[in-house]
Amino acid sequence: MENILVAGANGTTGKMIVDLLQESQDFKPVAMVRKEEQKAYFTAKNIETVLVDLERDVSPSFDTNNPIDKVVFAAGSGGKKVQEVDQDGAIKLIDESKKQGVKKFIMLSSMGADTPEQVPELKDYLVAKQNADNYLKQSGLPYCIVRPGALTNDAGSETIALELKLNKQGEISRSDVAKTLVQTLNTAIANQVTFEIIKGQTPIEKAIIALS
């Protein structure tokens, strides 16, 4: 089983990712949390945790019982510290992942990150995501960048619309985003690629395999 570090594990989408990994036959999650009190949720489920603040030194992310194989970056500042967390925190974790020989880095980004100026109310956030995405692309790490539309808390359908560029707006459930991210962990598919997703009619696994 591969050990997957989940940055932002305490977030709504992060918890879904961790739960999917725990249920998987192929992956074992390691939850990265920022506060001591956030560890209880995961330790109650027998999930290893690491206490790391993305605004500080991120090297303890890899002080785990077993070496980290892959990383999912699902952390977010909630719009409060976009440069410190969404940009610089991601960049620090990319650097540390490269140093540690991580096999694949999965980035949860956002639709609009390629054209931040078109969404003035989210421009700072989208610029931060764009910078982090570009840094990952140039890092030399195997990567996959997933850019969902507006996130909802609706029940997942396990079907999506996926294109490198959708050229239309839309929503998608956090559940389906989490499932998409976990699917991209497969080393054989979705490599060195950036794509957008919203709710749609294609089964998630089929949509991702079609990229390869």
Side-chain angles (χ1 to χ4, degrees), residues 31-43:
M32 182 200 294
V33 297
R34 188 168 59 90
K35 298 178 181 177
E36 182 69 35
E37 57 267 28
Q38 295 171 342
K39 293 171 69 173
Y41 173 87
F42 301 101
T43 53

Side-chain angles (χ1 to χ4, degrees), residues 13-211:
T13 308
K15 284 179 177 174
M16 292 178 178
I17 294 166
V18 170
D19 287 345
L20 287 168
L21 293 172
Q22 192 180 30
E23 294 164 9
S24 164
Q25 301 298 310
D26 302 314
F27 306 117
K28 180 181 176 184
V30 176
M32 182 200 294
V33 297
R34 188 168 59 90
K35 298 178 181 177
E36 182 69 35
E37 57 267 28
Q38 295 171 342
K39 293 171 69 173
Y41 173 87
F42 301 101
T43 53
K45 296 186 171 192
N46 200 32
I47 294 168
E48 185 178 1
T49 64
V50 287
L51 191 62
V52 175
D53 187 337
L54 285 166
E55 294 182 63
R56 302 180 184 277
D57 177 19
V58 301
S59 60
S61 306
F62 294 85
D63 293 342
T64 55
N65 294 331
N66 296 290
I68 295 298
D69 294 292
K70 296 172 182 174
V71 173
V72 177
F73 189 91
S77 63
K80 296 172 185 174
K81 293 186 174 182
V82 293
Q83 183 167 341
E84 294 87 342
V85 175
D86 299 279
Q87 176 181 295
D88 297 346
I91 286 171
K92 285 191 288 186
L93 194 59
I94 290 165
D95 284 342
E96 191 63 31
S97 295
K98 189 172 182 179
K99 191 185 300 183
Q100 297 289 338
V102 162
K103 298 174 188 174
K104 195 171 188 180
F105 194 108
I106 312 300
M107 178 75 82
L108 175 54
S109 184
S110 174
M111 283 181 69
D114 53 346
T115 53
E117 65 282 352
Q118 293 184 12
V119 194
E121 65 274 19
L122 293 175
K123 184 179 177 182
D124 290 347
Y125 167 71
L126 293 173
V127 166
K129 296 304 288 184
Q130 181 184 60
N131 291 340
D133 291 355
N134 288 341
Y135 192 86
L136 176 58
K137 290 177 188 177
Q138 296 162 13
S139 69
L141 276 172
Y143 73 86
C144 179
I145 298 170
V146 181
R147 291 176 169 171
L151 301 180
T152 73
N153 293 316
D154 298 342
S157 64
E158 301 193 17
T159 58
I160 57 175
L162 183 157
E163 296 288 348
L164 299 183
K165 181 71 176 174
L166 280 164
N167 294 312
K168 61 179 178 180
Q169 300 298 310
E171 297 180 338
I172 186 167
S173 71
R174 293 178 184 275
S175 173
D176 287 334
V177 171
K179 288 171 184 170
T180 301
L181 291 166
V182 171
Q183 283 288 339
T184 65
L185 283 165
N186 186 327
T187 308
I189 59 175
N191 291 318
Q192 315 302 96
V193 66
T194 303
F195 61 82
E196 298 180 343
I197 52 172
I198 55 175
K199 61 183 177 182
Q201 303 300 317
T202 307
I204 291 170
E205 184 176 10
K206 182 179 179 182
I208 293 169
I209 288 174
L211 285 170

